[in-house]
């Protein structure tokens, strides 16, 4: 099952996700949230991100 969101705390990874066309949802503290609505067009090696179905608890 595909997870609905991608979370990262790295600005570089957030910039790559934005440039790849992923929809930015919000930034809370150091965490960037994106809708998992695209295809990754870059190598995720070295990128710290997680896939989740939850935005907040």
């Amino acid at each position: 099952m595909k997870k609905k969101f991608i979370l990262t705390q790295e600005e570089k990874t957030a910039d790559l996700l934005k440039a790849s066309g992923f929809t930015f949802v919000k930034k809370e503290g150091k965490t960037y949230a994106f809708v998992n609505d695209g295809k990754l067009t870059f190598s995720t090696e070295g990128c710290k991100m997680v896939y989740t179905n939850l935005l907040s608890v």
Side-chain angles (χ1 to χ4, degrees):
M1 183 168 107
K2 180 178 167 183
K3 302 287 183 168
K4 297 177 183 177
F5 303 102
I6 301 172
L7 303 178
T8 185
Q9 291 187 337
E10 292 185 329
E11 187 173 351
K12 177 183 171 186
T13 302
D15 291 341
L16 285 170
L17 289 166
K18 286 178 190 175
S20 294
F22 286 86
T23 304
F24 177 72
V25 177
K26 68 178 181 176
K27 180 180 179 195
E28 189 171 308
K30 294 182 179 182
T31 304
Y32 298 86
F34 293 85
V35 176
N36 189 9
D37 58 358
K39 292 185 179 182
L40 289 177
T41 57
F42 60 93
S43 172
T44 59
E45 188 172 323
C47 294
K48 295 180 181 174
M49 58 186 182
V50 296
Y51 297 90
T52 184
N53 283 327
L54 301 174
L55 277 181
S56 60
V57 182

